Amino acid sequence: AQSVTQLGSHVSVSEGALVLLRCNYSSSVPPYLFWYVQYPNQGLQLLLKYTTGATLVKGINGFEAEFKKSETSFHLTKPSAHMSDAAEYFCAALKTSYDKVIFGPGTSLSVIP
Amino acid sequence: DTEVTQTPKHLVMGMTNKKSLKCEQHMGHRAMYWYKQKAKKPPELMFVYSYEKLSINESVPSRFSPECPNSSLLNLHLHALQPEDSALYLCASSQGGVTAGRTQYFGPGTRLTVL
């Protein structure tokens, strides 16, 4: 069965430091991959997605992610953390022939002033 | 515009009440979804409607009853809920069909409390 794992349920970074949130998927067929962000008491907002083509994907708010098929990874990065980046981040995968999105368990990002 | 709207924003109901959650999108999407999310957990899929027909029911108890009156509107009817049903209920929509990406766009959610 397809699954998505996120290393680290909680990550803390200093303001201005690099943000790295890890995501790995297990699938014999590379799925479509997504990163969503959720601020407290809000819905999920799409940060970026990988479908086909370029493996380095740029998203909103300065985030980007790189799809590495050999490592079955889709890690999310941002060069410089901002206080407003503090939120819950979910990595997700979608099988191309099925409508069901598989979510990772989530990573809570804290930004320390 | 990638907006999905949900009403109400908050809902408090007793175990004997009947209430409904509403979701609307005007992006021409043909797939709509209901998710349940508990605190500090990822969303759990409940139902999927594709072209206004129920295509996935994730073994949800019958006290939750979905309805898709048209391609823009999705309802979730609630009856005889339990306190453990208290959660954030999220609606999402996507283009549907075999379209590259089929990205799901989420609404802000309805915070449901069952007393």
Side-chain angles (χ1 to χ4, degrees):
Chain A
Q2 186 172 330
S3 68
V4 176
T5 57
Q6 293 181 241
L7 186 62
S9 60
H10 188 87
V11 171
S12 290
V13 298
S14 297
E15 191 175 15
L18 171 72
V19 176
L20 170 60
L21 304 181
R22 299 177 188 274
C23 173
N24 289 86
Y25 67 92
S26 67
S27 174
S28 58
V29 176
Y32 297 146
L33 295 162
F34 308 86
W35 275 100
Y36 287 90
V37 61
Q38 186 174 33
Y39 299 100
N41 297 311
Q42 293 188 26
L44 275 67
Q45 181 182 9
L46 180 69
L47 276 178
L48 49 79
K49 64 181 180 182
Y50 170 78
T51 54
T52 57
T55 56
L56 182 62
V57 181
K58 293 188 186 299
I60 61 171
N61 302 339
F63 284 94
E64 63 181 37
E66 186 171 11
F67 170 64
K68 290 187 176 180
K69 184 177 177 180
S70 60
E71 299 177 7
T72 60
S73 69
F74 191 56
H75 301 331
L76 181 71
T77 60
K78 182 175 180 178
S80 176
H82 192 271
M83 295 298 293
S84 60
D85 294 327
E88 189 81 17
Y89 290 80
F90 293 100
C91 182
L94 175 66
K95 293 182 82 168
T96 56
S97 60
Y98 195 39
D99 255 341
K100 186 174 178 178
V101 168
I102 309 298
F103 283 94
T107 297
S108 178
L109 176 67
S110 298
V111 182
I112 305 164
Chain B
D1 184 14
T2 55
E3 188 176 25
V4 176
T5 60
Q6 290 186 244
T7 54
K9 195 173 177 68
H10 299 277
L11 178 62
V12 179
M13 59 187 291
M15 289 190 285
T16 58
N17 292 157
K18 285 185 180 180
K19 297 286 185 183
S20 297
L21 309 184
K22 179 181 172 181
C23 173
E24 201 160 4
Q25 58 87 14
H26 295 287
M27 296 177 278
H29 288 175
R30 301 312 299 271
M32 296 185 76
Y33 311 78
W34 279 115
Y35 288 88
K36 174 183 178 180
Q37 186 182 28
K38 291 285 209 178
K40 302 295 183 186
K41 296 290 186 183
E44 298 172 27
L45 183 65
M46 300 174 72
F47 303 104
V48 180
Y49 272 84
S50 181
Y51 291 83
E52 295 141 62
K53 292 192 188 314
L54 184 65
S55 61
I56 297 176
N57 177 341
E58 291 287 290
S59 302
V60 179
S62 59
R63 57 185 184 269
F64 295 92
S65 175
E67 179 196 19
C68 189
N70 58 58
S71 60
S72 301
L73 194 55
L74 184 67
N75 298 319
L76 186 63
H77 303 297
L78 314 172
H79 173 56
L81 294 193
Q82 304 296 310
E84 58 266 29
D85 296 323
S86 298
L88 182 67
Y89 286 83
L90 294 165
C91 174
S93 71
S94 71
Q95 287 180 311
V98 187
T99 303
R102 299 208 307 283
T103 304
Q104 292 186 19
Y105 295 93
F106 285 79
T110 293
R111 175 71 62 189
L112 174 66
T113 302
V114 181
L115 301 177

